[in-house]
Amino acid sequence: MLRWVDTVLRDAARSLRSPASSLAVVLAACVWLSGCATSPREGPIVIGYLGGLSSRASSLGVAGRDGALLAVEQANAAGGIRGREVSLEVADDAAGATATVEGVLHLAGRGALAVIGPMTSGSAIAAVPVADRLRLPLLSPTVSTDDLSGVDDEFLRIYPTNNGAASRLASEVVSRFGRARVAVVYDLGNRSHTETWYRHFEERLERLGGRICVVRTFTSGRNPDFTDLARAAIDADSECVFVLSNAIDSAMLIQRLRIEGSKAHVVASEWSSTDDILAAGGRAVEGMLFLQTYDRASRAPEFGAMVVAFRKRFGYVPGFAAVHAYDATRMALAAAAKEPRRDRMKSSLLSLGSFPGVQGAIRFDANGDVEREYVVMTVRDGEFIRADRP
Amino acid sequence: MRMTTFGAAVGRRLVIAALVPMLAMGVVAAIQLSAVQAKAVDWRNRLMAESVRAETEAYLSAPLNALSQFRGIEDTRVVSELIRSSAANVAGVESIEMLDESGVVIAAGFGSGVEGRLPDRIGLDRSRDRQYTRASVSRRPAWSGVFASTLSGASSIELAVPLDGGIALVTMRVEALAGATTRSALEPDAVVVILDSTGSVLFHSTDALAAQRPNWGNIPPVADGIAGRTGSYRYVLDGEDMLGSTALIPGAGWIVLVQQDWRDARAPIMGVVWWIGIAAVVVALIAIAAAALFARALTAPIDRLTRFTGRVKQGEYEADPGEYHHREMARLARSIGEMSTAVHERESDLAESRAHLEQSNLNLRDMLHATAEAMGRIVEARDPYTQGHQERVGELASAIAIEMGLSEHEVEGIATAAIIHDIGKLSVPAEILTKPGRISANEFALIKQHPETGYAVLHGIAFPWPIAEVVRQHHERMDGSGYPRGLAGSDILVAARIIAVADTVEAMASNRPYRAALGLEAAIAEVQDDTGRFDPSVVAALLRLHEAGRITL
């Protein structure tokens, strides 16, 4: 092309008798060439997303994908990052560890600067070694496993570890209900998550003087007998029931508890706190408590704007996965705006300092883990509200 | 100027005349047929969307029809039994739950092959189920988006149907929609997508994509569908050009989108364009071949006429131009034939005139000679001694002139001048001319006037040669010693120099009243010795003649 430009320039200069107009042509060509020289290499900035999109547990992955997509679309609507378009490359890790590794490789191959995800602990454990090798930062919105905490690797997250959340929930139980007899029911379908959660909860509860009176497990999707589970909790004379499962299964269990006549307090982790529990739980879930990393009922203007935009774009109210993925994506974009290079992304992310999430500041520690304020939510008249507000 | 053959020019114009309108017609046809094909492709795509819509509506209305039989039945046991059998018998149903007015489950049934626990279901409070809420407020059926079934994990939708006093909640598998879409007459490359009223994908021919439940609310056909408009669209999805048509399912608020990769869909359109292109090339080749044949047929009579004119040029005025079918060519051939006859006649007339003229010329020349000779004889009649002198000088001068390589015309002029070169002697009294012995200076002065007198007599006659001037100079000598004007060298005409030599030689070789003949040898020797006065080239020619023995005086 340069040769062609040169020819055009010569012809133009030859055809123009006046030196002033020749100069103008040369100047115009230089301006045009400088435009040409920079634009072709400036493709879109690619951000990856890794989550389960095709299984029973896909609600988390889909919500996270939608949150990330909203952040990317908003960045593009605002003119992109450094004037470049941002594109979100999505990979599905639902099929297991192999799919997870393939997903990471795929996203790295597509030039992702960083990956938002994974969304589940099991997937994170498979993904981190590959990401470390590729020096591809993973920024997870929702992974809570303790196994990856305190390690200086390519794995960063804006979700607290199980340990912290479980301890906090146990403290909350004791402070609200005294040294209560607690029945625990958890799902073995997400075993790596639930068992560590349960262990930390039990450890903390017993240290605080509480007692686990019965522990029952079930496997989601395998036609669990919720009547039997509810009766077990009632038979153990529990004052409090801790349910660690997805929203629908939690709703089914809590409904059976109430139908069977239990008046016990019910507590749950953030996992259950989606709109599904309100719809499927009916009046049975009124007054139950959730330990959450964000305030669904927040009146923060940034959060309100995000919820409105999200609902307009996707037709449903964003849950914790969508909100955290939205924040995580915005953080990745902020880091990319500093220096859009994969090998600089991790340090850029860690040096973001106090990042303004939609519900307050997010700050990494040196290992890329995060400290968060917890919020205790309850259900009143079919709505989530903060339990500590009247 | 660059010349081409008439045949090539005619052929080219025939090709242009044939091809230009045909190509224009081809382009118009290609555009028109492409438009028709594009419309047909659009219509097929729309028909598929309508067909899928009809099948999907039938699928969705199946449980509604099954539930309609519940109306008016109050016995709970009968309702329970009906629900169980309906759930098991209607395709795609996972479960049916019958809710009372407060939203509590009073009866339930599971689809065939679905594992469920009836006791777990009875008594559940479903009053906050979104579809229940919508249906109980509107008293119309309400559909949910896609969710993973709590029973099987399969992608499902929920339908809330108001019945007498309560609501039935039906959970149906989305994958069963595939059955509905396969009953539609779909083209192999067509992809069926069913979206809810927010643009989220409920069903996609590709299972994996459906499971991801992307939101397509921002692609034009879906955006329009959400706004209640349907139609055919060209749009870009994941970097691919697509053709898609939409249809609405009013009750569910769903949008049916049937899309095809535009590159595949437009194949018939491109086919039409290709065929028209190939036809255009074939027709063009035929046109060129036909034009070449026509051009040859058109130029054949011209070639025949050219051959005919060639024969006329060779003098074959009687040649036959031949028969011509075309009126213009026949007229041209006739004209050329008449022209040839006219030229022939004029040529004959001209030849005759020229023969006459040549004869007249010959006669005139003869007359001139005869006149000159007569004049010569008049001079000689006054001096018997010089009888035949001029005639002999004429012969000798002619011989010298021929020897010198002069033209026939010049030789003839020299001969004529020689015959009358002494005509001026008419003014010299005869007694001086014939006086024996020496003549006085006065007498010689008279004699020396004869060249001027000859000039005066002759210069009014329009001879084709300068006869008068030659006569005037025939006594001039190369060294300027001659008379009457003492001219020298190149001022003297060549004819006069030749006559001077011939006159001197003949005079010395003949008898004179005042002396006897010296003889030819002595005369030549005299001239040869006296080279200063005579032209050496003339003398040389004389010598060559003498040596060849060709001088007879």
Side-chain angles (χ1 to χ4, degrees):
Chain A
M1 195 190 78
L2 281 176
R3 188 178 298 168
W4 176 78
V5 168
D6 183 49
T7 315
V8 169
L9 276 181
R10 278 167 193 224
D11 286 354
R14 207 175 295 145
S15 66
L16 289 167
R17 293 266 181 266
S18 117
S21 43
S22 308
L23 194 65
V25 166
V26 171
L27 274 177
C30 288
V31 169
W32 179 67
L33 272 179
S34 64
C36 287
T38 51
S39 56
R41 282 181 288 122
E42 299 271 292
I45 284 182
V46 179
I47 300 292
Y49 174 82
L50 181 65
L53 299 169
S54 54
S55 68
R56 284 169 54 82
S58 65
S59 62
L60 205 64
V62 170
R65 190 269 322 268
D66 290 348
L69 197 56
L70 182 68
V72 164
E73 287 177 356
Q74 286 180 346
N76 284 332
I81 298 296
R82 291 179 153 211
R84 288 165 67 182
E85 199 194 346
V86 183
S87 103
L88 186 75
E89 281 288 329
V90 177
D92 182 6
D93 65 7
T98 311
T100 302
V101 170
E102 281 172 358
V104 174
L105 291 172
H106 167 77
L107 294 174
R110 297 305 290 259
L113 295 181
V115 172
I116 308 304
M119 301 299 279
T120 58
S121 301
S123 183
I125 286 165
V128 168
V130 194
D132 278 349
R133 211 176 61 230
L134 295 170
R135 309 273 296 157
L136 175 63
L138 303 176
L139 178 54
S140 173
T142 53
V143 165
S144 61
T145 182
D146 297 315
D147 294 341
L148 296 167
S149 62
V151 185
D152 181 16
D153 51 17
E154 293 291 331
F155 182 74
L156 295 86
R157 54 177 147 188
I158 61 168
Y159 201 79
T161 57
N162 291 335
N163 188 359
S167 302
R168 175 66 195 275
L169 183 63
S171 309
E172 203 63 40
V173 166
V174 172
S175 73
R176 283 175 186 267
F177 315 125
R179 296 176 175 183
R181 295 164 54 80
V182 180
V184 179
V185 181
Y186 65 87
D187 177 11
L188 291 178
N190 191 7
R191 200 169 188 152
S192 65
H193 172 73
T194 54
E195 285 194 334
T196 47
W197 233 98
Y198 163 65
R199 264 203 327 276
H200 289 305
F201 179 80
E202 179 190 38
E203 191 184 351
R204 182 71 170 184
L205 184 79
E206 290 186 344
R207 198 186 301 159
L208 292 172
R211 200 165 73 79
I212 304 287
C213 59
V214 64
V215 179
R216 294 295 292 270
T217 61
F218 67 96
T219 303
S220 182
R222 298 263 178 86
N223 197 16
D225 186 343
F226 289 113
T227 308
D228 180 55
L229 292 169
R231 282 191 184 137
I234 291 164
D235 292 347
D237 200 16
S238 56
E239 297 156 290
C240 177
V241 178
F242 170 37
V243 187
L244 190 53
S245 75
N246 68 43
I248 299 285
D249 289 335
S250 298
M252 290 291 285
L253 176 68
I254 296 162
Q255 287 240 29
R256 284 317 324 164
L257 272 173
R258 298 302 180 224
I259 290 165
E260 299 297 327
S262 169
K263 299 269 188 269
H265 303 287
V266 178
V267 295
S269 75
E270 192 155 57
W271 188 14
S272 317
S273 70
T274 69
D275 280 356
D276 286 343
I277 201 166
L278 302 181
R283 285 159 291 224
V285 295
E286 289 278 317
M288 72 174 288
L289 299 176
F290 301 89
L291 185 74
Q292 304 224 142
T293 53
Y294 86 114
D295 177 4
R296 296 182 59 110
S298 166
R299 295 196 184 93
E302 296 83 4
F303 178 67
M306 184 266 173
V307 170
V308 168
F310 190 96
R311 191 164 187 170
K312 185 168 177 229
R313 173 69 177 84
F314 301 107
Y316 66 100
V317 177
F320 75 100
V323 169
H324 291 331
Y326 178 76
D327 273 345
T329 309
R330 286 170 59 235
M331 291 172 83
L333 293 175
K338 281 188 181 174
E339 200 172 354
R341 281 173 52 185
R342 184 187 290 172
D343 54 355
R344 307 287 304 151
M345 280 296 279
K346 185 186 167 189
S347 59
S348 294
L349 278 164
L350 289 177
S351 65
L352 281 176
S354 179
F355 183 82
V358 289
Q359 289 205 342
I362 302 167
R363 182 189 291 275
F364 291 114
D365 67 15
N367 295 321
D369 293 329
V370 77
E371 286 293 326
R372 270 194 180 268
E373 285 298 307
Y374 291 97
V375 179
V376 180
M377 305 289 294
T378 187
V379 178
R380 189 176 297 161
D381 298 328
E383 303 277 352
F384 287 106
I385 60 161
R386 283 183 73 144
D388 47 9
R389 283 194 189 134
Chain B
M1 194 181 73
R2 209 168 63 86
M3 299 276 281
T4 56
T5 66
F6 178 63
V10 167
R12 217 163 33 232
R13 280 160 183 75
L14 280 174
V15 167
I16 291 168
L19 283 189
V20 166
M22 203 199 62
L23 284 180
M25 212 176 73
V27 168
V28 169
I31 291 169
Q32 286 291 333
L33 282 173
S34 297
V36 167
Q37 274 287 347
K39 209 168 271 181
V41 167
D42 271 4
W43 269 111
R44 273 204 299 281
N45 190 268
R46 286 191 85 149
L47 274 177
M48 286 191 283
E50 284 301 322
S51 165
V52 171
R53 181 193 58 77
E55 292 292 343
T56 307
E57 276 193 327
Y59 169 74
L60 290 176
S61 62
L64 294 176
N65 296 338
L67 290 172
S68 64
Q69 61 183 314
F70 293 15
R71 294 184 197 282
I73 299 170
E74 292 186 358
D75 187 331
T76 312
R77 277 182 309 172
V78 177
V79 169
S80 297
E81 198 48 51
L82 277 173
I83 281 186
R84 267 196 289 277
S85 65
S86 298
N89 295 330
V90 177
V93 166
E94 284 247 318
S95 68
I96 301 178
E97 291 167 306
M98 188 69 201
L99 314 184
D100 66 14
E101 285 169 347
S102 62
V104 172
V105 178
I106 53 169
F110 300 108
S112 65
V114 177
E115 282 184 28
R117 221 174 276 277
L118 270 183
D120 277 359
R121 296 274 158 171
I122 306 300
L124 289 180
D125 174 12
R126 305 298 299 269
S127 61
R128 286 179 180 166
D129 183 276
R130 275 187 292 271
Q131 280 59 250
Y132 168 84
T133 315
R134 282 164 58 205
S136 53
V137 170
S138 67
R139 303 307 297 172
R140 290 227 282 270
W143 283 267
S144 72
V146 174
F147 59 93
S149 157
T150 55
L151 290 164
S152 67
S155 293
S156 305
I157 52 165
E158 190 181 71
L159 165 63
V161 187
L163 296 170
D164 311 326
I167 301 271
L169 283 183
V170 184
T171 304
M172 298 171 76
R173 292 188 185 188
V174 170
E175 66 193 31
L177 278 173
T181 60
T182 51
R183 279 192 296 278
S184 309
L186 292 176
E187 289 181 22
D189 61 325
V191 169
V192 175
V193 188
I194 299 174
L195 308 104
D196 69 15
S197 57
T198 70
S200 282
V201 172
L202 299 175
F203 173 81
H204 192 285
S205 301
T206 312
D207 287 341
L209 210 147
Q212 292 174 20
R213 286 159 51 194
N215 188 292
W216 284 8
N218 54 354
I219 66 169
V222 179
D224 272 10
I226 292 170
R229 293 187 296 272
T230 60
S232 272
Y233 299 83
R234 288 272 311 281
Y235 53 98
V236 177
L237 185 70
D238 293 337
E240 301 286 340
D241 277 339
M242 306 299 273
L243 166 70
S245 297
T246 49
L248 299 179
I249 299 174
W254 291 359
I255 302 156
V256 170
L257 169 67
V258 173
Q259 62 179 16
Q260 292 171 277
D261 192 317
W262 174 240
R263 275 179 308 184
D264 298 334
R266 72 170 177 179
I269 302 172
M270 296 316 287
V272 165
V273 173
W274 269 107
W275 276 115
I276 290 176
I278 290 168
V281 169
V282 169
V283 171
L285 290 175
I286 292 172
I288 289 167
L293 287 174
F294 292 157
R296 193 180 297 173
L298 280 174
T299 54
I302 294 173
D303 291 341
R304 278 167 61 204
L305 270 180
T306 307
R307 280 196 297 278
F308 166 66
T309 52
R311 291 167 67 189
V312 169
K313 198 170 81 182
Q314 300 295 326
E316 291 184 48
Y317 294 107
E318 305 309 320
D320 180 12
E323 292 293 319
Y324 295 89
H325 298 301
H326 304 301
R327 207 163 290 153
E328 294 86 349
M329 294 310 294
R331 206 179 298 151
L332 181 61
R334 203 162 53 242
S335 296
I336 294 175
E338 286 166 5
M339 191 172 79
S340 139
T341 308
V343 166
H344 188 198
E345 281 171 4
R346 217 163 296 158
E347 199 176 66
S348 306
D349 289 352
L350 216 56
E352 208 173 307
S353 305
R354 199 166 64 199
H356 277 293
L357 204 61
E358 276 173 2
Q359 192 53 52
S360 305
N361 257 342
L362 285 176
N363 292 349
L364 268 175
R365 194 179 297 173
D366 288 352
M367 228 151 72
L368 185 67
H369 263 280
T371 309
E373 279 172 10
M375 287 163 83
R377 272 196 293 277
I378 290 169
V379 176
E380 288 173 359
R382 298 180 63 221
D383 180 2
Y385 287 100
T386 60
Q387 195 125 36
H389 165 69
Q390 294 183 118
E391 207 164 313
R392 287 190 297 275
V393 168
E395 283 167 13
L396 183 55
S398 296
I400 292 170
I402 291 165
E403 180 61 25
M404 286 173 73
L406 299 184
S407 71
E408 199 179 323
H409 177 73
E410 285 169 316
V411 173
E412 195 178 350
I414 288 168
T416 308
I419 283 171
I420 52 172
H421 73 272
D422 277 340
I423 195 165
K425 285 186 176 172
L426 280 172
S427 66
V428 180
E431 49 280 19
I432 295 174
L433 292 176
T434 56
K435 181 181 174 183
R438 296 196 63 90
I439 52 170
S440 68
N442 285 339
E443 287 166 343
F444 190 56
L446 273 176
I447 288 171
K448 277 165 82 175
Q449 279 175 1
H450 81 269
E452 286 290 359
T453 306
Y455 174 74
V457 169
L458 294 171
H459 88 275
I461 302 173
F463 285 106
W465 311 279
I467 298 290
E469 191 60 37
V470 172
V471 168
R472 194 184 195 181
Q473 294 180 8
H474 79 273
H475 275 291
E476 298 288 356
R477 294 296 178 260
M478 294 300 279
D479 57 359
S481 62
Y483 61 85
R485 289 178 291 169
L487 298 177
S490 59
D491 288 342
I492 305 165
L493 293 170
V494 171
R497 296 181 218 167
I498 294 170
I499 290 170
V501 170
D503 185 28
T504 304
V505 169
E506 204 284 329
M508 289 175 79
S510 306
N511 289 316
R512 285 293 182 269
Y514 46 85
R515 61 156 170 78
L518 294 173
L520 183 60
E521 293 294 332
I524 288 173
E526 174 70 23
V527 171
Q528 193 180 356
D529 292 344
D530 207 354
T531 49
R533 299 177 70 211
F534 297 105
D535 183 342
S537 61
V538 176
V539 175
L542 174 74
L543 288 176
R544 283 198 301 277
L545 287 171
H546 178 57
E547 279 162 20
R550 281 159 56 191
I551 300 175
T552 49
L553 288 176

